[in-house]
Amino acid sequence: MKISDILAKGRPSVSFEIFPPKRDMPFDGIRDTVSRLAQQKPAFMSVTYGASGNACANTVEVASFVQECGISALAHLTCLTSSRDRIADEIKALRSASVENILCLRGDMPKDSTEPPPGFFRHAVDLVHALRPSGFCLGGACYPERHPDCAHMEEDIAYLRDKVDAGLDFLTTQMFFDNNVYFRYLAKLRDRGVTVPVIAGIMPVTNGRQIERICRLSGTSLPNRFKSIVDRYGDTPQAMLDAGVAYATEQIVDLFANGANAVHVYTMNRPEVAERIMRNLRGILDD
Ligand code: FAD
């Protein structure tokens, strides 16, 4: 099913993100993870494509398995490190697997390069232009606290608007830990003429030390309330898990209560975390 059709229902929905195993790694673990996550009946599941400029692997295979589990898949696709031929091959494979949704991304440059090879796409907008005639439902990424490569929020939003106008059906946000950041950003997008649905990206934090580094790199701010939790429980895995699930649940409830209908949970391939969050939301999602 196309994500645009899922979102058009206008009901609160929760979707999950997973990452595939590295090339040549066994597939059994991810099958178990996907099967367990599918039992939670997410609106859809997205499958990442490489990261930090590393070679990608297995996205189509995992997205195909998501579909076999009866859940609509969203396959991520990055263009900065993928040749046009490779992109064409991925599209063909996704079509054969009946995947209908693609998240169009630039990706990041590998550490040892500064320029994409000649002929490669430079920005996500180029990929959107190329894929628009394909008939896939297309999504893109957006950044409530600005993308770190862009010096000014207004400029970042202007580029985002170009990307949406090129043919995006929806956006998914970078993680944020303060819902006011999301609501202020959403108001700004609407004011600047970006009208597509904006799915809120929520990261349940279960590893306190790791998150500080991730947030520094991605430019995500940590509210004081959240910092206190990490300071207090960051070194105690079980306590941090409990606190991370509670914080994410509270964020999601507040988003739904204030009119956001779609939330995407970055599961980090931990079904037990997604299960606990979904259990907390059962009454709300059934309402
Ligand atoms: P773009 O939309 O191209 O924007 C990147 C930067 O370029 C921004 O600063 C923007 O303002 C600027 N820009 C845009 N257009 C222009 C232009 N025409 N001229 C000059 N500047 C311009 N990474 C992965 O490797 N794999 C994944 O699976 C993955 N999934 C993600 C999912 C989500 C929801 C998010 C939020 C991020 C994901 N990322 C992933 C990370 C993403 O690839 C990086 O954040 C990357 O740095 C930017 O990708 P983008 O698609 O947002 O790029």
Side-chain angles (χ1 to χ4, degrees):
M1 189 173 190
K2 289 192 171 172
I3 289 170
S4 48
D5 292 332
I6 295 170
L7 298 173
K9 291 180 186 162
R11 290 186 49 77
S13 69
V14 177
S15 50
F16 298 150
E17 179 186 281
I18 51 170
F19 54 85
K22 292 207 171 82
R23 202 185 299 279
D24 302 328
M25 292 298 280
F27 231 72
D28 293 354
I30 194 70
R31 278 180 199 273
D32 288 350
T33 302
V34 170
S35 304
R36 274 182 67 180
L37 288 170
Q39 283 171 22
Q40 297 303 312
K41 299 197 179 354
F44 64 90
M45 279 168 69
S46 80
V47 186
T48 65
Y49 191 87
S52 311
N54 294 326
C56 59
N58 294 328
T59 298
V60 176
E61 290 82 350
V62 175
S64 176
F65 186 65
V66 168
Q67 299 265 129
E68 280 173 37
C69 291
I71 304 293
S72 299
L74 167 63
H76 295 204
L77 183 57
T78 65
C79 61
L80 200 56
T81 53
S82 305
S83 68
R84 292 185 198 209
D85 285 348
R86 170 157 206 154
I87 289 169
D89 288 346
E90 299 284 5
I91 297 300
K92 215 162 125 191
L94 288 170
R95 217 187 279 289
S96 311
S98 304
V99 174
E100 295 180 273
N101 308 289
I102 297 176
L103 194 71
C104 301
L105 296 153
R106 184 193 74 173
D108 288 310
M109 197 66 87
K111 283 192 187 72
D112 49 1
S113 324
T114 50
E115 282 285 310
F120 280 41
F121 295 129
R122 187 170 281 269
H123 293 288
V125 65
D126 306 322
L127 184 60
V128 181
H129 277 299
L131 296 191
R132 187 62 281 169
S134 66
F136 281 88
C137 172
L138 303 179
C142 66
Y143 302 83
E145 296 179 86
R146 185 171 55 75
H147 186 271
D149 290 356
C150 199
H152 303 287
M153 181 59 115
E154 285 301 332
E155 197 186 340
D156 202 29
I157 292 178
Y159 285 131
L160 180 68
R161 182 163 173 182
D162 290 345
K163 186 162 72 171
V164 172
D165 289 349
L168 290 184
D169 299 294
F170 66 94
L171 294 165
T172 305
T173 74
Q174 178 63 284
M175 63 183 164
F176 56 87
F177 296 101
D178 176 352
N179 287 355
N180 289 325
V181 165
Y182 169 84
F183 286 117
R184 277 199 297 267
Y185 180 64
L186 189 64
K188 219 176 248 183
L189 293 189
R190 298 306 186 227
D191 191 53
R192 306 299 186 273
V194 177
T195 56
V196 292
V198 181
I199 303 175
I202 294 295
M203 169 81 88
V205 175
T206 56
N207 183 327
R209 297 303 158 215
Q210 212 175 42
I211 197 64
E212 286 173 8
R213 195 182 62 83
I214 295 174
C215 286
R216 237 188 348 268
L217 291 176
S218 66
T220 305
S221 58
L222 290 174
N224 286 336
R225 201 168 73 84
F226 185 83
K227 272 193 207 145
S228 318
I229 291 173
V230 174
D231 287 345
R232 177 72 180 82
Y233 303 115
D235 291 325
T236 320
Q238 189 55 48
M240 192 61 228
L241 174 66
D242 288 349
V245 165
Y247 194 95
T249 303
E250 205 182 303
Q251 262 195 290
I252 296 170
V253 172
D254 179 64
L255 285 164
F256 286 155
N258 286 287
N261 265 335
V263 168
H264 196 54
V265 175
Y266 298 117
T267 71
M268 305 300 284
N269 291 15
R270 294 193 61 179
E272 72 280 14
V273 173
E275 284 160 2
R276 286 181 60 176
I277 291 175
M278 292 303 264
R279 201 176 311 134
N280 291 341
L281 297 174
R282 197 46 69 202
I284 288 170
L285 292 172
D286 289 346
D287 183 30

